[in-house]
Amino acid sequence: MAPNVKNQKIDEGEFLRMREKVLAQWPTGKEVDLDEAIEYQKKLPDSKNYLKIMQKLHEEGRTVAYPRAGTATIEDSISLYRKLEESQVPFLLVTTDSYTRQLEFKKVEAAIEETKKTGKKILNGFPLINHGVKGMRQIVESVNTGAFNPRISLKAYPLGSEIAFASGMTGVSAGPFISWGAYEKNSDIAEAIGAYQYMHRLIGYYADRGVKITCDNHGWILTGVQPMTVNLATTIAEAMMEAEQGVKSVVSCIHLMGNLAQDLAWIRVAPRLMREYLDRYGYADVIIAGTLAQHTPLFPMPQGMGGAFAYTDYSALVGALGKVEACSIRSIDEALGIPTEESHQLTYESVNWFFNVIRGQKIDLEMKEIAIEERIAELEIRAILDKLLEIGDGDIVVGCIKGVHLGIIDSSFSPNKQVKDKVIGVKDCRGAIRYAEFGNLPLPEEVKEFHREKVAERERADGTKADYEMTIRDFWAFNKGQLIGKPVRA
Amino acid sequence: MAPNVKNQKIDEGEFLRMREKVLAQWPTGKEVDLDEAIEYQKKLPDSKNYLKIMQKLHEEGRTVAYPRAGTATIEDSISLYRKLEESQVPFLLVTTDSYTRQLEFKKVEAAIEETKKTGKKILNGFPLINHGVKGMRQIVESVNTGAFNPRISLKAYPLGSEIAFASGMTGVSAGPFISWGAYEKNSDIAEAIGAYQYMHRLIGYYADRGVKITCDNHGWILTGVQPMTVNLATTIAEAMMEAEQGVKSVVSCIHLMGNLAQDLAWIRVAPRLMREYLDRYGYADVIIAGTLAQHTPLFPMPQGMGGAFAYTDYSALVGALGKVEACSIRSIDEALGIPTEESHQLTYESVNWFFNVIRGQKIDLEMKEIAIEERIAELEIRAILDKLLEIGDGDIVVGCIKGVHLGIIDSSFSPNKQVKDKVIGVKDCRGAIRYAEFGNLPLPEEVKEFHREKVAERERADGTKADYEMTIRDFWAFNKGQLIGKPVRA
Amino acid sequence: MKKPTVITGTVGNDAHVIGTKILSRALREAGFNVVELGILTPTDEFIKAAIETDADAILMSSLYGMAELDVTGFKEKCIEAGLDDVLLYIGGILGVGRRDAKEDEEKFKKLGFDRVFPPETELKLAIGDLWADLKAKGKV
Amino acid sequence: MKKPTVITGTVGNDAHVIGTKILSRALREAGFNVVELGILTPTDEFIKAAIETDADAILMSSLYGMAELDVTGFKEKCIEAGLDDVLLYIGGILGVGRRDAKEDEEKFKKLGFDRVFPPETELKLAIGDLWADLKAKGKV
Ligand code: B12
Ligand code: B12
């Protein structure tokens, strides 16, 4: 986990030495026996394998909901995941709680005790590490269908993923950017990548022995209203990092911002470029298992149930029109708190309706706007990736690290102090997202001109500058049932 | 109201003689003073005028919800319509109860008393005639924005519309086909058209004095799964009948069946042909105020809240993509019973989200399927209308009457015994609606061939015949969250 | 075996036809002799038809919410008409607003109905009940 | 008039930054001297910063649902540190699951907070409250 981290496969001996330290972080680490774990994984049915599920969905032309779920106790978890299974949700997310994420396992223990005594819910997720392989396997074995997939944290991923995979989880949110860029204040990008390499290498170890665990690549989740360019570029960078460590199955995640043409363009362009860059850099044997779309959770959902259903149904619509295999769905309780089982169930009932009705029609949308957005997005993503590879001398890890320092990749509103925070995004008159400030993003002049025109049009329409005020207005728009944040007239 | 009814403006003297009988049906008839009523209408603000509201929506490129509402007491009505106003619903439907519809005003009186005493809800709508002009004006005056619009019945429309317009209602569901074809068992089409001519003539009387009341033309609401061809043809026929009696403002209503391309094609084709036929037959001065789309309420909604939201959001989506001014929305309680105020509010919160977000994007959908469906629909509607005009010797009323007898216009599942019931509809593999049986519909051979191909494809896919079983399966599909009714395998 | 005869129709001022049509067809396919009265059928007509055809059961539908008003006193009228032994079924949306199926069942059983069916009833099961009830009465 | 100094940040292990960022900026624009601690801020750091900058108020955020655990005992620590007079505000989603704003308000007031703000708080109004409270204390 050195700061001089490179995109280079960790040597197996070295990896095994690192493992010892990782497993020693908490007693449940001892439950992990890699050989036994690999056998366990091999015996899992296809219906619990992330990659196989994705491939089947693709063949059948279906879209399913990708939930956000995680609850503190094993009993509640079993009940919750069975409900999800009933709701035909085959991807079973295990969101861990915030103590686990900070390696505060003692606090977790206390909270579990307290909940047992008083019934009061304290933890905001599943304490995977405290429950250990034994606990997690009970959950994996409690359903017939569904690939489990943990959400952990920079600090807790190494041990967490050991326990996860040994428990039969077959997918994982695997990119370093999400933790570093959206959950951390002081962490260093080099350290973050280094920390994630451990998990990637662990997956590589499984892969070398015939077990394919799939990596969701969320990229740098960009906070607030801004184009997903940097996000999509980093999902591809992440796939390249994972591939180098031996990962054989990745997912292209696309974060959506609400303009149909732009969202569909991103859905089309992202997996295509991911394939191209993987192939070009020697990772042609890495499978892109499927695509996962979601309205990036970086603005608040409507609090009212009507608006919440509309927004989440809209996510389902865009996912289905984009023909993605899975669509990450925010429950109707998103703005209110961790959803109840009933809220989960109602949410999937609703989005499944959309998935079925839209996909069944086999709609091929053709709009000239999609083609325009696709071209712009492709130019942008290529410009950024190529620049990163250039400054990294062909090494994507080095490129990303330098890129952060130089603001070649940048985001507004990031909690991480390392981030330049020189870019600003706003919506254009049709609700597509444009840069009002480019910071140091290496975008081609033609592309910048395109953004400038669209932003100028918006400024004229609103009669205000495209600035921080506007980005905040736009940030709240969907929450208020509007496409664009309207200026408040005095 | 003679069986030898023709498409010919009722002479004013004759009309005024008819009025006397109509107004004598119930004491509240005496409250109607036409001169005073015309003055009252003229003083209404634009925000309560159906035509003006439609035109403004068109200019602003907005879609709004068209509710289905009606509750028994004046107090509850005021509360309900104010809630609708808060929900930005500018079309305020007044669905009358079933006793009123049968002219059973004494029973209404008893029910109102019972409700006053016990608080128990008995009537399934607003007893417009019992409440009279005085009662209804209280309601009209209780909101700032909103055009009231009554839903009555074949029998009760004459007196009901007298009271409605005198109370300041500015729109009305005006076609004879809806009552005759969907609400009646024994009534005769000629009598039905005759009965409606009275209302049309009344609107003409207002129009001659400068007050434009707008007619929604719903056409023959076709029960069950069948193409909307006959429905759309009859909406145009209705507009021609209304125009002849002096109506100056009509709405093109489009009933949708759930396949996006077909639904959008219907939305495009219907007002275009309505304009053409009105112009060709000498009614060029009749304004088409706007378009009103709705997923025809002839199959059941999902009972679960998730599915109900999805379905109703889908209606909103299609309406918004179709750029209609208003979209008739079923509340999330549709399958459960008359909606509560809260259900209304949640429903509009949801659909307004879709209206705003979709219309704001100014999406111009281009799909080759839309063009194909548009062409087919146009050929079908023209073939039917031209045939009706041919057998009616240029008289659309005579044509429609003969058309019903001959099955030139026909429907499956109609409650009316006069209907041939020789047609059967099923969904094709993409959920578009096709004829499996054409009955006596005068469709061009090319069109029939198109239907046959699509139906054959479906039969192959399902491995079953396209018959009554299939139409019933398809009828339940949306209710079960599916696009198409899947065969149950033994 | 003689085919049992049943009367179907939508009672009172209710115009919802689809349920009763589907039900009638299903009954016919299941081997019943069906007298289909359709929508807007006054209770008296049900009784008249039952007498005329010596029916074994009346299967009413109502969706529009005003069923209770329509059928209050119906059982008594049946008894008066000597139809004590005719099975009475009713189904649909049996009141105004969101329903509690259990409450509806109790209410309409008190009004003299032998069975009460909520919306989305699986007709195969309902027809199974009908066979069972007829058997219990020794009619089939 | 001296600018009043306020501390902002997301308490405990919470990483939700947007609320506290927007709040910090709004405070700055409203004329406050803002010490912005950002996310993942332990309660001790709030206290340290308040002492160092002689702050008038601490405005904490928490969205992740575990605020109660994070801030239990915080008021007492403030008093120990001699910060009796510093205003304590907290806002966000103050527990796990659907919330009742009134209950949250009571709970966190018992824990020593002067004001408690639900999600979607209109920041202009909250800052108005802050001015009023500071005035009442004679600090502005
Ligand atoms: C964006 C987001 C994220 C982003 C955060 C990016 C970032 N670094 O900021 C990411 C994806 C990283 C994330 C992560 C997590 N999140 Co999150 N997230 C959200 C989301 C969608 C929006 C939050 C937001 O930015 N709102 C907009 C801002 C402006 O509002 P705000 O912070 O509430 O501030 C306003 C008011 O509350 C008030 N206010 C706030 N603080 C204060 C203080 C004072 C003094 C005053 C006066 C006012 C005030 O003023 C602001 C303006 O009105 C919400 C759900 C939602 N609301 O839609 C979930 C949500 C908050 N997250 C949740 C959870 C559980 C998590 C995770 C634990 C799990 C996960 N999903 O991975 C992690 C937590 C990580 C951690 N250690 O904290 C839950 C919390 C559950 C609960 N409380 O019951 C929510 C509610 C989603 C849900 N329903 O499950 N999340
Ligand atoms: C289609 C429809 C219409 C069509 C009817 C066309 C026609 N002639 O059939 C039209 C548009 C004309 C219409 C009119 C009206 N309707 Co309507 N309509 C519906 C709708 C959408 C579907 C009904 C349907 O066909 N369901 C499918 C059939 C197959 O189901 P079913 O009849 O319930 O039958 C099933 C079961 O109930 C059971 N069953 C039924 N009867 C029996 C009997 C026995 C013995 C057994 C064993 C089983 C059984 O078996 C069937 C198969 O499962 C419903 C709402 C919904 N469900 O989504 C509203 C609904 C029934 N209508 C309603 C209302 C109020 C009206 C109107 C009064 C007002 C209006 N909207 O204009 C008028 C009434 C006119 C009148 N005089 O009755 C309300 C009733 C409110 C309530 N009860 O609280 C509903 C619930 C809508 C709502 N939420 O407001 N309607």
Side-chain angles (χ1 to χ4, degrees), chain B residues 88-307:
Chain B
Q88 289 159 38
V89 173
F91 297 106
L92 302 175
L93 272 267
V94 181
T95 305
T96 57
D97 66 285
S98 295
Y99 284 157
T100 295
R101 291 174 186 229
Q102 301 294 328
L103 305 178
E104 298 187 10
F105 306 123
K106 292 248 162 77
K107 284 198 185 175
V108 170
E109 242 174 11
I112 294 179
E113 278 315 305
E114 169 97 13
T115 300
K116 273 193 190 144
K117 257 190 293 178
T118 63
K120 210 169 90 179
K121 296 203 171 189
I122 303 172
L123 297 174
N124 59 359
F126 181 75
L128 172 64
I129 294 175
N130 285 60
H131 285 313
V133 177
K134 282 199 206 100
M136 190 60 218
R137 279 195 185 173
Q138 281 182 50
I139 299 174
V140 170
E141 289 165 14
S142 73
V143 299
N144 296 315
T145 296
F148 286 89
N149 180 322
R151 294 292 141 108
I152 319 181
S153 70
L154 191 50
K155 283 189 196 156
Y157 257 125
L159 178 54
S161 57
E162 286 277 2
I163 289 176
F165 305 146
S167 309
M169 298 210 195
T170 54
V172 63
S173 169
F177 276 104
I178 181 170
S179 293
W180 165 83
Y183 291 82
E184 299 282 337
K185 177 160 70 173
N186 294 314
S187 93
D188 179 74
I189 181 65
E191 277 174 21
I193 295 176
Y196 270 80
Q197 279 180 337
Y198 178 85
M199 172 166 64
H200 301 158
R201 188 60 187 81
L202 175 62
I203 299 174
Y205 187 95
Y206 275 90
D208 291 344
R209 284 147 189 88
V211 173
K212 287 200 184 82
I213 289 164
T214 302
C215 291
D216 279 9
N217 291 300
H218 286 266
W220 182 351
I221 302 217
L222 305 173
T223 322
V225 174
Q226 49 191 312
M228 286 297 114
T229 315
V230 170
N231 172 260
L232 295 173
T234 48
T235 62
I236 295 171
E238 286 177 342
M240 291 164 74
M241 298 176 192
E242 290 152 3
E244 174 62 28
Q245 299 301 328
V247 169
K248 295 295 175 213
S249 172
V250 297
V251 163
S252 173
C253 298
I254 300 101
H255 289 85
L256 313 172
M257 293 295 288
N259 172 277
L260 189 64
Q262 191 172 46
D263 287 348
L264 291 176
W266 287 335
I267 289 174
R268 291 179 190 186
V269 98
R272 179 159 60 74
L273 290 185
M274 185 179 278
R275 182 75 272 157
E276 183 186 316
Y277 278 83
L278 282 174
D279 289 350
R280 189 184 320 152
Y281 285 84
Y283 312 116
D285 62 339
V286 175
I287 301 167
I288 298 181
T291 48
L292 167 61
Q294 57 190 94
H295 276 104
T296 174
L298 295 173
F299 27 73
M301 277 277 277
Q303 289 206 329
M305 209 202 307

Side-chain angles (χ1 to χ4, degrees), chain B residues 68 95-98 101-102 124-125 151-152 178 181-184 221 223 296-303 330-331 333-339 413-415 475-476 479, chain C residues 9-10 13-20 22-23 39-40 58-66 89-99 115-123 126-127:
Chain B
R68 308 167 76 220
T95 305
T96 57
D97 66 285
S98 295
R101 291 174 186 229
Q102 301 294 328
N124 59 359
R151 294 292 141 108
I152 319 181
I178 181 170
Y183 291 82
E184 299 282 337
I221 302 217
T223 322
T296 174
L298 295 173
F299 27 73
M301 277 277 277
Q303 289 206 329
R330 302 211 244 167
S331 91
D333 277 2
E334 173 68 11
L336 306 172
I338 305 276
F413 287 103
S414 171
F475 176 76
W476 286 105
N479 173 286
Chain C
T10 314
N13 292 330
D14 188 354
H16 292 92
V17 79
I18 313 183
T20 189
I22 298 182
L23 174 63
I39 61 169
L40 301 175
I58 294 176
L59 290 87
M60 280 185 177
S61 296
S62 177
L63 272 85
Y64 75 151
M66 294 176 17
Y89 282 15
I90 190 165
I93 307 182
L94 298 171
V96 173
R98 291 192 179 203
R99 322 291 325 135
R115 288 187 189 267
V116 182
F117 297 88
E120 299 192 3
T121 294
E122 196 56 69
L123 291 180
I127 294 176

Side-chain angles (χ1 to χ4, degrees), chain C residues 70-134:
Chain C
D70 292 326
V71 303
T72 300
F74 177 63
K75 178 69 185 177
E76 291 71 21
K77 280 197 202 168
C78 284
I79 296 174
E80 265 173 46
L83 299 175
D84 320 48
D85 208 33
V86 173
L87 281 170
L88 300 186
Y89 282 15
I90 190 165
I93 307 182
L94 298 171
V96 173
R98 291 192 179 203
R99 322 291 325 135
D100 176 349
K102 275 233 147 335
E103 276 175 28
D104 282 344
E105 188 172 351
E106 279 171 30
K107 184 189 290 175
F108 285 86
K109 283 198 164 166
K110 276 208 193 111
L111 288 170
F113 287 86
D114 297 287
R115 288 187 189 267
V116 182
F117 297 88
E120 299 192 3
T121 294
E122 196 56 69
L123 291 180
K124 288 223 171 85
L125 301 180
I127 294 176
D129 290 340
L130 181 57
W131 281 121
D133 288 351
L134 290 173

Side-chain angles (χ1 to χ4, degrees), chain A residues 183-351:
Chain A
Y183 292 81
E184 299 281 337
K185 177 160 69 173
N186 294 313
S187 95
D188 179 73
I189 181 64
E191 278 174 20
I193 295 175
Y196 270 80
Q197 279 181 338
Y198 178 86
M199 172 167 64
H200 301 158
R201 187 62 184 81
L202 174 61
I203 299 173
Y205 188 96
Y206 275 91
D208 291 344
R209 284 148 189 89
V211 172
K212 289 200 184 81
I213 289 163
T214 302
C215 290
D216 279 9
N217 291 300
H218 286 266
W220 181 350
I221 303 220
L222 305 174
T223 321
V225 174
Q226 50 190 312
M228 287 298 114
T229 315
V230 170
N231 172 260
L232 295 172
T234 49
T235 62
I236 295 171
E238 287 177 342
M240 291 164 75
M241 298 175 191
E242 291 151 4
E244 174 61 28
Q245 299 301 329
V247 169
K248 294 295 176 214
S249 172
V250 297
V251 163
S252 173
C253 297
I254 300 101
H255 289 85
L256 313 173
M257 294 294 288
N259 172 278
L260 188 66
Q262 191 172 45
D263 287 348
L264 291 176
W266 286 334
I267 289 174
R268 291 179 189 185
V269 97
R272 180 160 59 76
L273 291 185
M274 184 178 279
R275 183 73 274 157
E276 183 186 317
Y277 278 83
L278 282 174
D279 289 351
R280 189 180 326 149
Y281 285 83
Y283 311 116
D285 62 339
V286 175
I287 301 166
I288 299 181
T291 48
L292 168 62
Q294 58 190 94
H295 277 105
T296 175
L298 296 171
F299 27 72
M301 277 277 278
Q303 290 205 328
M305 208 203 305
F309 265 114
Y311 190 2
T312 213
D313 283 344
Y314 185 60
S315 295
L317 167 73
V318 178
L321 287 174
K323 303 185 182 181
V324 301
E325 284 73 37
C327 191
S328 180
I329 289 298
R330 303 211 242 163
S331 89
I332 52 166
D333 277 0
E334 174 68 11
L336 307 173
I338 305 276
T340 60
E341 285 185 0
E342 197 206 354
S343 311
H344 273 294
Q345 183 262 319
L346 287 174
T347 305
Y348 306 129
E349 182 185 312
S350 208
V351 295

Side-chain angles (χ1 to χ4, degrees), chain C residues 33-76:
Chain C
N33 178 27
V34 181
V35 181
E36 190 174 349
L37 301 178
I39 61 169
L40 301 175
T41 304
T43 45
D44 291 349
E45 268 185 45
F46 280 97
I47 292 179
K48 202 168 136 243
I51 296 175
E52 278 173 11
T53 62
D54 189 18
D56 301 295
I58 294 176
L59 290 87
M60 280 185 177
S61 296
S62 177
L63 272 85
Y64 75 151
M66 294 176 17
E68 192 184 349
L69 290 175
D70 292 326
V71 303
T72 300
F74 177 63
K75 178 69 185 177
E76 291 71 21

